[in-house]
Amino acid sequence: MPEQPEVSIRNLSKSFDGIEVLRDVDLEVKSGEVVSILGSSGSGKSTLLRCINWLETPDRGEIRINGERIGLQDKTQKPMSRRELAKVRTQLGMVFQSFNLWPHLNVLRNVTEALIYVQGLKKSDAVERAMAFLHKVGMAEKAASYPATLSGGQKQRVAIARALAMQPKVMLFDEPTSALDPELVGEVLSVMKDLSSEGYTMIIVTHEMDFARNVSDQVVFLEKGIIIEKSAPEIFFHSPRSERVRRFLELDKVV
Amino acid sequence: MSNWEILWASRDVFWQGFGNTLTIFSISAVLSFLLGSLLLFSMEGVRPRLKIPLRIFIDAMRMLPFLILAYLFYYGLPSVGIRMTAWQAGVLALVLYHGAYFAEILRGSRITLSSGQEEAAIAQGFSRPTMFLRIILPQLVLRTRGVMGNQLIILLKDTAFLVIITVRELTAAANSLSSTYFIPMEAFIVVIGFYWMISLALEQGIRFLGRIGEKRGFNNA
Protein backbone atom coordinates (compact mmCIF):
# COMPACT_ATOMS: atom_id res chain seq x y z
CA MET A 1 0.00 0.00 0.00
CA PRO A 2 1.43 3.40 -0.91
CA GLU A 3 2.16 5.80 1.91
CA GLN A 4 -0.68 8.22 2.58
CA PRO A 5 0.33 11.80 1.75
CA GLU A 6 0.31 14.25 4.65
CA VAL A 7 -1.37 16.87 2.49
CA SER A 8 -3.29 16.05 -0.65
CA ILE A 9 -4.88 18.68 -2.84
CA ARG A 10 -7.14 17.70 -5.71
CA ASN A 11 -8.71 19.81 -8.44
CA LEU A 12 -8.52 22.93 -6.34
CA SER A 13 -10.06 26.02 -7.96
CA LYS A 14 -10.72 29.46 -6.59
CA SER A 15 -11.92 32.73 -8.06
CA PHE A 16 -12.14 36.21 -6.61
CA ASP A 17 -14.88 38.33 -8.20
CA GLY A 18 -14.98 36.17 -11.29
CA ILE A 19 -11.21 36.17 -11.75
CA GLU A 20 -9.79 32.69 -11.51
CA VAL A 21 -6.75 32.61 -9.23
CA LEU A 22 -6.39 28.84 -8.91
CA ARG A 23 -7.39 26.31 -11.52
CA ASP A 24 -7.47 22.56 -10.97
CA VAL A 25 -4.44 22.48 -8.74
CA ASP A 26 -3.21 19.04 -7.69
CA LEU A 27 -0.47 18.59 -5.15
CA GLU A 28 0.67 15.87 -2.81
CA VAL A 29 3.05 16.42 0.05
CA LYS A 30 4.54 13.44 1.82
CA SER A 31 5.45 13.35 5.48
CA GLY A 32 8.75 15.14 6.13
CA GLU A 33 8.79 16.73 2.71
CA VAL A 34 9.60 20.40 2.12
CA VAL A 35 7.73 21.92 -0.79
CA SER A 36 8.52 25.39 -2.09
CA ILE A 37 5.90 27.22 -4.09
CA LEU A 38 7.33 29.78 -6.48
CA GLY A 39 5.74 32.11 -8.97
CA SER A 40 5.48 35.80 -9.75
CA SER A 41 3.15 37.93 -7.65
CA GLY A 42 -0.50 37.37 -8.45
CA SER A 43 0.16 33.82 -9.56
CA GLY A 44 -2.08 32.47 -6.79
CA LYS A 45 0.60 30.95 -4.60
CA SER A 46 -0.49 32.64 -1.37
CA THR A 47 -4.11 31.80 -2.12
CA LEU A 48 -3.14 28.16 -2.57
CA LEU A 49 -1.43 28.12 0.81
CA ARG A 50 -4.33 29.90 2.50
CA CYS A 51 -6.78 27.40 1.04
CA ILE A 52 -4.90 24.55 2.69
CA ASN A 53 -6.01 25.68 6.15
CA TRP A 54 -9.26 27.13 4.84
CA LEU A 55 -8.44 30.78 5.52
CA GLU A 56 -9.72 31.05 1.95
CA THR A 57 -12.65 28.93 0.90
CA PRO A 58 -11.99 27.22 -2.41
CA ASP A 59 -14.75 27.05 -5.01
CA ARG A 60 -14.04 23.46 -6.01
CA GLY A 61 -11.75 20.62 -5.19
CA GLU A 62 -10.76 18.85 -2.02
CA ILE A 63 -7.97 19.08 0.49
CA ARG A 64 -7.04 16.34 2.91
CA ILE A 65 -4.67 16.50 5.83
CA ASN A 66 -3.54 12.97 6.70
CA GLY A 67 -6.59 11.69 4.93
CA GLU A 68 -8.91 13.96 6.88
CA ARG A 69 -10.98 16.33 4.80
CA ILE A 70 -10.77 20.04 5.67
CA GLY A 71 -13.56 22.57 5.11
CA LEU A 72 -16.34 20.32 3.89
CA GLN A 73 -18.01 17.30 5.44
CA ASP A 74 -16.87 14.22 3.60
CA LYS A 75 -20.31 12.65 3.30
CA THR A 76 -22.62 15.59 2.78
CA GLN A 77 -20.21 18.09 1.15
CA LYS A 78 -21.66 20.69 3.52
CA PRO A 79 -19.36 23.25 5.16
CA MET A 80 -17.85 22.20 8.46
CA SER A 81 -18.81 24.02 11.64
CA ARG A 82 -16.21 26.36 13.04
CA ARG A 83 -15.45 23.86 15.74
CA GLU A 84 -14.86 20.99 13.33
CA LEU A 85 -12.73 23.26 11.19
CA ALA A 86 -10.68 24.35 14.19
CA LYS A 87 -10.05 20.70 15.00
CA VAL A 88 -8.63 19.88 11.57
CA ARG A 89 -6.62 23.09 11.66
CA THR A 90 -4.76 21.90 14.75
CA GLN A 91 -2.75 19.72 12.35
CA LEU A 92 -1.56 22.83 10.50
CA GLY A 93 0.74 25.57 11.71
CA MET A 94 0.74 28.84 9.81
CA VAL A 95 3.38 31.55 9.56
CA PHE A 96 2.40 34.82 7.90
CA GLN A 97 4.30 37.39 5.90
CA SER A 98 3.38 40.15 8.36
CA PHE A 99 4.03 38.00 11.48
CA ASN A 100 0.63 38.77 12.99
CA LEU A 101 1.79 38.62 16.56
CA TRP A 102 -0.67 39.90 19.14
CA PRO A 103 0.77 43.21 20.35
CA HIS A 104 -0.91 43.29 23.77
CA LEU A 105 0.73 40.03 24.83
CA ASN A 106 4.40 39.50 25.51
CA VAL A 107 6.44 36.97 23.55
CA LEU A 108 5.82 34.13 26.00
CA ARG A 109 2.07 34.76 26.11
CA ASN A 110 1.88 34.97 22.32
CA VAL A 111 3.03 31.37 22.36
CA THR A 112 1.10 30.10 25.40
CA GLU A 113 -2.22 31.76 24.56
CA ALA A 114 -3.51 29.07 22.22
CA LEU A 115 -1.92 26.31 24.28
CA ILE A 116 -3.97 27.40 27.28
CA TYR A 117 -7.19 28.65 25.69
CA VAL A 118 -7.44 26.32 22.70
CA GLN A 119 -5.60 23.15 23.70
CA GLY A 120 -6.52 23.51 27.37
CA LEU A 121 -3.03 22.96 28.77
CA LYS A 122 -2.26 23.85 32.36
CA LYS A 123 -0.46 27.17 32.54
CA SER A 124 2.78 25.67 33.87
CA ASP A 125 2.83 23.05 31.10
CA ALA A 126 2.08 25.69 28.48
CA VAL A 127 4.92 27.89 29.72
CA GLU A 128 7.31 24.95 29.73
CA ARG A 129 6.39 23.97 26.18
CA ALA A 130 6.47 27.57 24.96
CA MET A 131 9.91 28.15 26.43
CA ALA A 132 11.21 25.02 24.72
CA PHE A 133 10.06 26.27 21.32
CA LEU A 134 11.23 29.83 21.98
CA HIS A 135 14.58 28.32 22.81
CA LYS A 136 14.52 26.41 19.53
CA VAL A 137 14.12 29.64 17.55
CA GLY A 138 16.62 31.51 19.72
CA MET A 139 14.08 33.81 21.33
CA ALA A 140 13.94 32.42 24.88
CA GLU A 141 15.69 35.41 26.40
CA LYS A 142 13.09 37.74 24.88
CA ALA A 143 10.17 35.90 26.49
CA ALA A 144 9.11 38.92 28.54
CA SER A 145 9.41 41.46 25.70
CA TYR A 146 6.48 42.86 23.77
CA PRO A 147 6.29 42.47 19.99
CA ALA A 148 6.59 46.22 19.40
CA THR A 149 10.15 46.12 20.76
CA LEU A 150 11.35 43.32 18.45
CA SER A 151 12.93 43.42 15.02
CA GLY A 152 11.10 41.86 12.10
CA GLY A 153 13.33 38.80 12.16
CA GLN A 154 12.73 38.33 15.86
CA LYS A 155 8.98 38.74 15.41
CA GLN A 156 8.94 36.11 12.70
CA ARG A 157 10.93 33.69 14.83
CA VAL A 158 8.40 34.17 17.64
CA ALA A 159 5.59 33.58 15.14
CA ILE A 160 7.29 30.35 14.08
CA ALA A 161 7.61 29.26 17.72
CA ARG A 162 3.95 30.11 18.27
CA ALA A 163 2.92 27.87 15.38
CA LEU A 164 5.32 25.06 16.32
CA ALA A 165 4.16 25.00 19.94
CA MET A 166 0.75 23.72 18.81
CA GLN A 167 2.68 20.68 17.53
CA PRO A 168 1.13 20.63 14.08
CA LYS A 169 1.86 17.94 11.52
CA VAL A 170 2.43 20.41 8.71
CA MET A 171 3.89 23.91 8.75
CA LEU A 172 2.64 26.46 6.21
CA PHE A 173 4.82 29.49 5.50
CA ASP A 174 3.33 32.39 3.56
CA GLU A 175 6.29 34.45 2.30
CA PRO A 176 7.89 34.40 5.74
CA THR A 177 10.81 36.63 4.80
CA SER A 178 9.21 39.04 2.34
CA ALA A 179 8.51 41.73 4.94
CA LEU A 180 12.02 41.61 6.39
CA ASP A 181 15.03 43.84 5.90
CA PRO A 182 17.63 41.91 3.90
CA GLU A 183 19.99 41.51 6.83
CA LEU A 184 17.24 39.85 8.90
CA VAL A 185 16.24 37.25 6.30
CA GLY A 186 19.06 34.88 7.21
CA GLU A 187 18.05 34.31 10.84
CA VAL A 188 14.55 33.26 9.81
CA LEU A 189 15.71 31.03 6.98
CA SER A 190 18.20 29.33 9.24
CA VAL A 191 15.43 28.48 11.73
CA MET A 192 13.38 27.08 8.84
CA LYS A 193 16.32 25.08 7.59
CA ASP A 194 16.73 23.52 11.04
CA LEU A 195 13.06 22.56 11.01
CA SER A 196 13.40 20.86 7.65
CA SER A 197 16.33 18.81 8.86
CA GLU A 198 14.31 17.80 11.92
CA GLY A 199 11.80 16.25 9.57
CA TYR A 200 8.98 18.80 9.70
CA THR A 201 6.63 18.73 6.75
CA MET A 202 6.70 22.22 5.31
CA ILE A 203 4.94 24.05 2.51
CA ILE A 204 6.60 27.37 1.80
CA VAL A 205 5.54 30.19 -0.46
CA THR A 206 8.72 32.10 -1.07
CA HIS A 207 10.84 34.29 -3.29
CA GLU A 208 14.08 33.00 -1.79
CA MET A 209 15.54 31.00 -4.68
CA ASP A 210 18.64 29.77 -2.89
CA PHE A 211 16.58 28.57 0.01
CA ALA A 212 14.14 26.77 -2.30
CA ARG A 213 17.04 25.15 -4.12
CA ASN A 214 18.90 24.00 -1.02
CA VAL A 215 16.12 22.98 1.30
CA SER A 216 13.17 21.78 -0.80
CA ASP A 217 12.35 18.26 -1.86
CA GLN A 218 9.85 19.54 -4.38
CA VAL A 219 9.55 22.86 -6.15
CA VAL A 220 6.21 23.96 -7.54
CA PHE A 221 5.83 26.81 -9.99
CA LEU A 222 2.48 28.54 -10.28
CA GLU A 223 1.48 30.76 -13.16
CA LYS A 224 -1.98 32.28 -13.42
CA GLY A 225 -3.34 29.74 -10.98
CA ILE A 226 -1.99 26.70 -12.77
CA ILE A 227 0.90 24.52 -11.69
CA ILE A 228 3.15 24.56 -14.73
CA GLU A 229 6.14 22.86 -13.18
CA LYS A 230 6.49 20.48 -10.27
CA SER A 231 9.85 18.85 -9.87
CA ALA A 232 12.82 18.15 -7.66
CA PRO A 233 15.01 21.24 -7.12
CA GLU A 234 17.93 19.81 -9.15
CA ILE A 235 15.66 19.53 -12.15
CA PHE A 236 13.74 22.71 -11.51
CA PHE A 237 16.77 24.96 -11.24
CA HIS A 238 18.99 23.28 -13.87
CA SER A 239 16.76 21.86 -16.55
CA PRO A 240 13.19 23.03 -16.08
CA ARG A 241 10.71 21.53 -18.51
CA SER A 242 8.85 24.74 -19.17
CA GLU A 243 10.05 27.79 -21.02
CA ARG A 244 8.22 30.05 -18.52
CA VAL A 245 10.24 28.73 -15.58
CA ARG A 246 13.46 29.16 -17.52
CA ARG A 247 12.59 32.82 -18.11
CA PHE A 248 11.61 33.27 -14.45
CA LEU A 249 14.95 31.87 -13.30
CA GLU A 250 16.92 34.01 -15.73
CA LEU A 251 15.15 37.16 -14.54
CA ASP A 252 16.09 36.21 -11.01
CA LYS A 253 19.73 35.93 -12.03
CA VAL A 254 19.71 39.32 -13.75
CA VAL A 255 18.35 40.98 -10.64
CA MET B 1 -23.52 77.67 63.63
CA SER B 2 -21.97 78.60 60.31
CA ASN B 3 -23.29 77.12 57.07
CA TRP B 4 -20.26 74.86 56.84
CA GLU B 5 -20.83 73.63 60.35
CA ILE B 6 -24.41 72.76 59.47
CA LEU B 7 -23.19 70.73 56.55
CA TRP B 8 -20.56 69.02 58.68
CA ALA B 9 -23.24 68.09 61.19
CA SER B 10 -25.26 66.51 58.36
CA ARG B 11 -22.28 64.77 56.81
CA ASP B 12 -24.04 61.42 57.02
CA VAL B 13 -26.42 62.59 54.31
CA PHE B 14 -23.44 63.34 52.05
CA TRP B 15 -21.76 60.05 52.84
CA GLN B 16 -24.93 58.17 52.03
CA GLY B 17 -25.27 60.09 48.75
CA PHE B 18 -21.61 59.52 47.94
CA GLY B 19 -21.93 55.81 48.64
CA ASN B 20 -25.01 55.55 46.47
CA THR B 21 -23.47 57.49 43.61
CA LEU B 22 -20.33 55.38 43.77
CA THR B 23 -22.34 52.15 43.86
CA ILE B 24 -24.63 53.14 41.00
CA PHE B 25 -21.68 54.38 39.00
CA SER B 26 -19.60 51.23 39.52
CA ILE B 27 -22.43 48.82 38.72
CA SER B 28 -23.46 50.82 35.64
CA ALA B 29 -19.90 51.25 34.42
CA VAL B 30 -19.17 47.53 34.56
CA LEU B 31 -22.51 46.50 33.08
CA SER B 32 -22.50 49.07 30.30
CA PHE B 33 -18.97 48.07 29.31
CA LEU B 34 -20.08 44.44 29.21
CA LEU B 35 -23.17 45.39 27.21
CA GLY B 36 -21.07 47.43 24.78
CA SER B 37 -18.69 44.51 24.28
CA LEU B 38 -21.56 42.09 23.84
CA LEU B 39 -23.20 44.40 21.29
CA LEU B 40 -19.98 44.61 19.30
CA PHE B 41 -19.47 40.86 19.45
CA SER B 42 -23.04 40.20 18.31
CA MET B 43 -22.86 42.71 15.50
CA GLU B 44 -19.86 41.04 13.93
CA GLY B 45 -21.38 37.66 14.58
CA VAL B 46 -22.53 34.91 12.33
CA ARG B 47 -26.17 36.04 12.35
CA PRO B 48 -26.48 38.95 9.93
CA ARG B 49 -30.15 39.35 10.83
CA LEU B 50 -29.11 40.48 14.29
CA LYS B 51 -27.02 43.31 12.96
CA ILE B 52 -29.74 45.70 11.87
CA PRO B 53 -31.82 45.71 15.07
CA LEU B 54 -28.66 46.16 17.15
CA ARG B 55 -27.55 49.02 14.95
CA ILE B 56 -30.97 50.63 15.37
CA PHE B 57 -30.78 50.20 19.14
CA ILE B 58 -27.36 51.85 19.33
CA ASP B 59 -28.38 54.80 17.19
CA ALA B 60 -31.68 55.18 19.03
CA MET B 61 -29.84 55.43 22.33
CA ARG B 62 -27.30 57.88 21.01
CA MET B 63 -29.95 60.19 19.62
CA LEU B 64 -31.77 60.47 22.92
CA PRO B 65 -31.21 62.73 25.93
CA PHE B 66 -30.41 60.54 28.91
CA LEU B 67 -32.90 62.37 31.12
CA ILE B 68 -35.81 61.31 28.91
CA LEU B 69 -34.78 57.67 29.16
CA ALA B 70 -34.65 57.87 32.97
CA TYR B 71 -38.08 59.55 33.00
CA LEU B 72 -39.49 56.95 30.64
CA PHE B 73 -38.30 53.98 32.68
CA TYR B 74 -39.42 55.29 36.06
CA TYR B 75 -42.56 57.27 35.26
CA GLY B 76 -43.58 55.94 31.86
CA LEU B 77 -43.21 52.17 32.08
CA PRO B 78 -45.52 51.68 35.09
CA SER B 79 -48.42 52.74 32.87
CA VAL B 80 -47.78 49.65 30.75
CA GLY B 81 -47.43 47.49 33.84
CA ILE B 82 -43.63 47.45 34.19
CA ARG B 83 -42.69 48.66 37.63
CA MET B 84 -39.14 49.14 38.78
CA THR B 85 -37.63 50.70 41.87
CA ALA B 86 -35.87 54.01 41.32
CA TRP B 87 -32.53 52.20 41.55
CA GLN B 88 -33.49 49.56 39.03
CA ALA B 89 -34.85 52.08 36.57
CA GLY B 90 -31.83 54.32 37.03
CA VAL B 91 -29.20 51.62 36.60
CA LEU B 92 -31.04 50.07 33.65
CA ALA B 93 -31.25 53.43 31.90
CA LEU B 94 -27.56 54.14 32.51
CA VAL B 95 -26.51 50.69 31.30
CA LEU B 96 -28.56 50.73 28.10
CA TYR B 97 -27.65 54.31 27.27
CA HIS B 98 -23.94 54.10 27.94
CA GLY B 99 -23.69 50.52 26.70
CA ALA B 100 -24.65 51.85 23.28
CA TYR B 101 -21.87 54.42 23.48
CA PHE B 102 -19.33 51.84 24.60
CA ALA B 103 -20.32 49.64 21.66
CA GLU B 104 -19.76 52.55 19.30
CA ILE B 105 -16.39 53.45 20.82
CA LEU B 106 -15.18 49.85 20.60
CA ARG B 107 -16.52 49.42 17.07
CA GLY B 108 -14.63 52.47 15.84
CA SER B 109 -11.39 50.92 16.98
CA ARG B 110 -12.37 47.42 15.89
CA ILE B 111 -12.54 48.50 12.27
CA THR B 112 -8.89 49.49 12.23
CA LEU B 113 -7.54 46.32 13.89
CA SER B 114 -5.49 44.37 11.37
CA SER B 115 -7.25 41.29 10.02
CA GLY B 116 -3.95 39.41 10.13
CA GLN B 117 -4.14 39.10 13.90
CA GLU B 118 -7.51 37.42 13.58
CA GLU B 119 -6.24 35.10 10.89
CA ALA B 120 -3.40 34.09 13.18
CA ALA B 121 -5.92 33.34 15.92
CA ILE B 122 -8.18 31.39 13.57
CA ALA B 123 -5.22 29.43 12.25
CA GLN B 124 -4.39 28.55 15.85
CA GLY B 125 -7.86 27.15 16.36
CA PHE B 126 -9.40 29.88 18.51
CA SER B 127 -13.18 29.85 18.74
CA ARG B 128 -14.89 33.15 17.98
CA PRO B 129 -15.77 34.03 21.60
CA THR B 130 -12.30 33.12 22.89
CA MET B 131 -10.65 35.12 20.14
CA PHE B 132 -12.85 38.11 20.94
CA LEU B 133 -12.12 37.94 24.67
CA ARG B 134 -8.43 37.12 24.56
CA ILE B 135 -7.16 38.79 21.39
CA ILE B 136 -9.53 41.50 20.23
CA LEU B 137 -11.20 43.09 23.26
CA PRO B 138 -8.05 43.71 25.33
CA GLN B 139 -6.50 45.57 22.42
CA LEU B 140 -9.62 47.66 21.86
CA VAL B 141 -9.63 48.65 25.53
CA LEU B 142 -5.97 49.67 25.39
CA ARG B 143 -6.48 51.58 22.17
CA THR B 144 -9.61 53.43 23.24
CA ARG B 145 -8.64 54.09 26.84
CA GLY B 146 -8.81 57.88 26.43
CA VAL B 147 -12.29 57.98 24.91
CA MET B 148 -13.38 55.24 27.27
CA GLY B 149 -12.30 57.33 30.28
CA ASN B 150 -14.24 60.25 28.88
CA GLN B 151 -17.34 58.14 28.53
CA LEU B 152 -17.02 56.94 32.12
CA ILE B 153 -16.90 60.52 33.32
CA ILE B 154 -20.03 61.29 31.30
CA LEU B 155 -21.64 58.24 32.89
CA LEU B 156 -20.67 59.54 36.32
CA LYS B 157 -22.25 62.91 35.55
CA ASP B 158 -25.39 61.26 34.23
CA THR B 159 -25.90 59.58 37.59
CA ALA B 160 -26.77 63.08 38.85
CA PHE B 161 -29.91 63.02 36.71
CA LEU B 162 -31.24 60.18 38.81
CA VAL B 163 -32.15 62.74 41.47
CA ILE B 164 -35.29 63.44 39.46
CA ILE B 165 -36.42 59.84 39.72
CA THR B 166 -35.90 59.95 43.50
CA VAL B 167 -32.62 58.05 43.76
CA ARG B 168 -30.82 59.25 46.92
CA GLU B 169 -27.47 59.92 45.32
CA LEU B 170 -25.02 62.78 45.79
CA THR B 171 -26.96 65.48 43.99
CA ALA B 172 -30.10 64.47 45.86
CA ALA B 173 -28.19 64.80 49.12
CA ALA B 174 -27.04 68.30 48.26
CA ASN B 175 -30.52 69.17 47.08
CA SER B 176 -32.19 68.10 50.26
CA LEU B 177 -29.65 69.80 52.54
CA SER B 178 -29.77 72.99 50.54
CA SER B 179 -33.53 73.17 50.77
CA THR B 180 -33.74 72.09 54.40
CA TYR B 181 -31.28 74.72 55.63
CA PHE B 182 -31.37 77.01 52.60
CA ILE B 183 -27.61 76.90 52.00
CA PRO B 184 -27.44 75.96 48.28
CA MET B 185 -24.01 77.51 47.66
CA GLU B 186 -22.13 75.48 50.25
CA ALA B 187 -24.10 72.29 49.69
CA PHE B 188 -23.45 72.24 45.96
CA ILE B 189 -19.80 73.15 46.35
CA VAL B 190 -19.37 70.11 48.54
CA VAL B 191 -20.90 67.75 45.98
CA ILE B 192 -18.80 69.28 43.23
CA GLY B 193 -15.82 68.27 45.35
CA PHE B 194 -17.13 64.73 45.55
CA TYR B 195 -17.66 64.46 41.76
CA TRP B 196 -14.17 65.80 41.16
CA MET B 197 -12.72 63.24 43.51
CA ILE B 198 -14.34 60.35 41.69
CA SER B 199 -13.30 61.78 38.32
CA LEU B 200 -9.70 62.21 39.43
CA ALA B 201 -9.64 58.61 40.64
CA LEU B 202 -10.98 57.56 37.23
CA GLU B 203 -8.26 59.54 35.49
CA GLN B 204 -5.69 57.70 37.58
CA GLY B 205 -7.15 54.40 36.44
CA ILE B 206 -6.96 55.48 32.81
CA ARG B 207 -3.38 56.61 33.31
CA PHE B 208 -2.57 53.17 34.66
CA LEU B 209 -4.09 51.63 31.51
CA GLY B 210 -1.97 54.06 29.56
CA ARG B 211 1.21 52.72 31.10
CA ILE B 212 0.16 49.17 30.25
CA GLY B 213 -0.55 50.34 26.70
CA GLU B 214 2.70 52.21 26.25
CA LYS B 215 4.76 49.22 27.30
CA ARG B 216 3.09 47.32 24.47
CA GLY B 217 3.49 50.03 21.87
CA PHE B 218 -0.13 51.32 21.92
CA ASN B 219 0.93 54.93 21.91
CA ASN B 220 -1.45 56.51 19.45
CA ALA B 221 -4.66 56.04 21.43
Side-chain angles (χ1 to χ4, degrees):
Chain A
M1 210 175 102
E3 199 194 340
Q4 174 178 273
E6 197 122 72
V7 177
S8 101
I9 300 171
R10 267 197 217 116
N11 295 321
L12 192 73
S13 297
K14 169 77 181 168
S15 317
F16 289 113
D17 301 324
I19 297 161
E20 201 161 43
V21 279
L22 291 175
R23 196 196 306 170
D24 291 329
V25 170
D26 290 299
L27 184 65
E28 287 202 345
V29 182
K30 289 198 277 291
S31 177
E33 231 183 359
V34 177
V35 176
S36 293
I37 303 176
L38 305 181
S40 44
S41 48
S43 58
K45 51 194 194 308
S46 279
T47 307
L48 172 58
L49 196 76
R50 291 164 58 82
C51 281
I52 296 176
N53 69 355
W54 222 255
L55 281 178
E56 300 290 353
T57 310
D59 302 334
R60 286 191 310 279
E62 66 167 52
I63 300 170
R64 286 175 188 278
I65 318 295
N66 283 307
E68 196 179 351
R69 187 82 182 265
I70 187 167
L72 301 177
Q73 312 270 6
D74 228 350
K75 288 184 190 133
T76 58
Q77 299 293 310
K78 287 204 180 98
M80 285 181 161
S81 69
R82 286 181 71 104
R83 189 173 299 174
E84 293 167 313
L85 202 50
K87 197 166 157 284
V88 189
R89 279 191 183 121
T90 57
Q91 304 198 51
L92 302 163
M94 177 99 175
V95 174
F96 299 86
Q97 179 176 352
S98 48
F99 329 125
N100 296 343
L101 295 180
W102 302 308
H104 61 301
L105 302 175
N106 68 21
V107 163
L108 178 63
R109 289 206 39 209
N110 261 277
V111 183
T112 57
E113 202 70 356
L115 298 178
I116 296 171
Y117 297 101
V118 177
Q119 293 195 343
L121 256 64
K122 273 204 313 226
K123 196 173 172 226
S124 55
D125 295 343
V127 168
E128 194 180 329
R129 199 199 285 181
M131 285 310 291
F133 282 101
L134 284 172
H135 191 75
K136 192 200 247 322
V137 299
M139 288 298 292
E141 69 277 19
K142 290 280 186 185
S145 304
Y146 286 95
T149 65
L150 303 179
S151 73
Q154 291 175 323
K155 283 183 195 168
Q156 195 60 297
R157 286 188 283 150
V158 173
I160 291 173
R162 177 175 70 177
L164 288 174
M166 300 293 281
Q167 301 181 323
K169 304 248 169 57
V170 182
M171 286 289 286
L172 309 173
F173 293 86
D174 188 5
E175 301 201 29
T177 59
S178 298
L180 298 177
D181 290 340
E183 71 266 26
L184 302 177
V185 169
E187 61 188 77
V188 172
L189 291 183
S190 106
V191 165
M192 290 170 63
K193 198 167 173 202
D194 291 346
L195 297 180
S196 79
S197 50
E198 285 172 37
Y200 277 95
T201 309
M202 296 158 70
I203 306 177
I204 308 164
V205 169
T206 185
H207 292 288
E208 297 292 332
M209 295 300 163
D210 287 338
F211 183 80
R213 185 184 359 237
N214 297 328
V215 179
S216 324
D217 301 299
Q218 225 188 129
V219 181
V220 170
F221 189 86
L222 266 179
E223 170 84 354
K224 292 181 181 144
I226 301 170
I227 292 185
I228 58 173
E229 180 110 15
K230 181 162 43 177
S231 46
E234 312 79 70
I235 298 172
F236 185 94
F237 287 99
H238 298 294
S239 46
R241 282 174 277 249
S242 92
E243 179 56 31
R244 175 70 187 92
V245 171
R246 211 165 296 145
R247 267 204 332 261
F248 180 81
L249 294 173
E250 266 160 27
L251 273 173
D252 186 60
K253 266 180 219 138
V254 174
V255 177
Chain B
M1 224 154 100
S2 82
N3 289 348
W4 294 107
E5 281 165 338
I6 296 173
L7 289 181
W8 179 248
S10 354
R11 60 190 178 277
D12 284 350
V13 180
F14 278 123
W15 280 121
Q16 193 205 14
F18 177 68
N20 285 347
T21 290
L22 208 56
T23 310
I24 291 171
F25 170 73
S26 310
I27 295 173
S28 311
V30 171
L31 291 182
S32 52
F33 172 73
L34 291 179
L35 175 65
S37 308
L38 187 67
L39 283 170
L40 176 69
F41 179 72
S42 315
M43 278 201 299
E44 62 184 38
V46 270
R47 290 185 192 82
R49 257 175 296 170
L50 215 60
K51 205 172 166 173
I52 295 167
L54 292 179
R55 186 72 255 165
I56 291 173
F57 166 75
I58 290 174
D59 285 339
M61 285 296 128
R62 292 197 308 147
M63 291 185 285
L64 181 79
F66 173 71
L67 187 54
I68 304 285
L69 194 65
Y71 268 135
L72 181 78
F73 282 6
Y74 190 63
Y75 296 113
L77 287 184
S79 68
V80 291
I82 302 172
R83 257 165 240 287
M84 287 180 276
T85 65
W87 270 65
Q88 290 166 343
V91 169
L92 185 67
L94 284 169
V95 169
L96 292 181
Y97 191 80
H98 289 276
Y101 274 97
F102 277 118
E104 197 59 10
I105 291 170
L106 293 169
R107 197 187 62 90
S109 175
R110 177 72 181 87
I111 297 167
T112 59
L113 203 69
S114 84
S115 63
Q117 291 192 34
E118 273 169 73
E119 288 188 341
I122 292 168
Q124 293 236 292
F126 276 86
S127 68
R128 234 174 56 79
T130 313
M131 176 172 81
F132 186 78
L133 280 179
R134 311 287 325 170
I135 308 295
I136 296 171
L137 194 56
Q139 292 191 56
L140 299 186
V141 172
L142 287 177
R143 284 158 151 237
T144 59
R145 59 189 186 263
V147 200
M148 207 74 106
N150 237 346
Q151 193 62 38
L152 286 174
I153 287 177
I154 297 173
L155 197 166
L156 171 67
K157 293 189 290 187
D158 279 352
T159 62
F161 281 121
L162 301 186
V163 62
I164 55 105
I165 62 166
T166 74
V167 175
R168 313 239 2 115
E169 43 69 73
L170 257 180
T171 306
N175 224 0
S176 92
L177 289 176
S178 96
S179 52
T180 310
Y181 305 104
F182 201 67
I183 43 172
M185 185 71 182
E186 288 84 350
F188 286 118
I189 284 176
V190 170
V191 292
I192 288 174
F194 275 114
Y195 283 117
W196 279 353
M197 261 166 48
I198 304 177
S199 300
L200 288 174
L202 268 177
E203 298 261 322
Q204 280 307 314
I206 297 297
R207 218 162 279 160
F208 175 70
L209 267 186
R211 278 198 295 276
I212 295 180
E214 267 159 39
K215 231 169 97 188
R216 290 157 175 76
F218 290 81
N219 287 326
N220 44 1

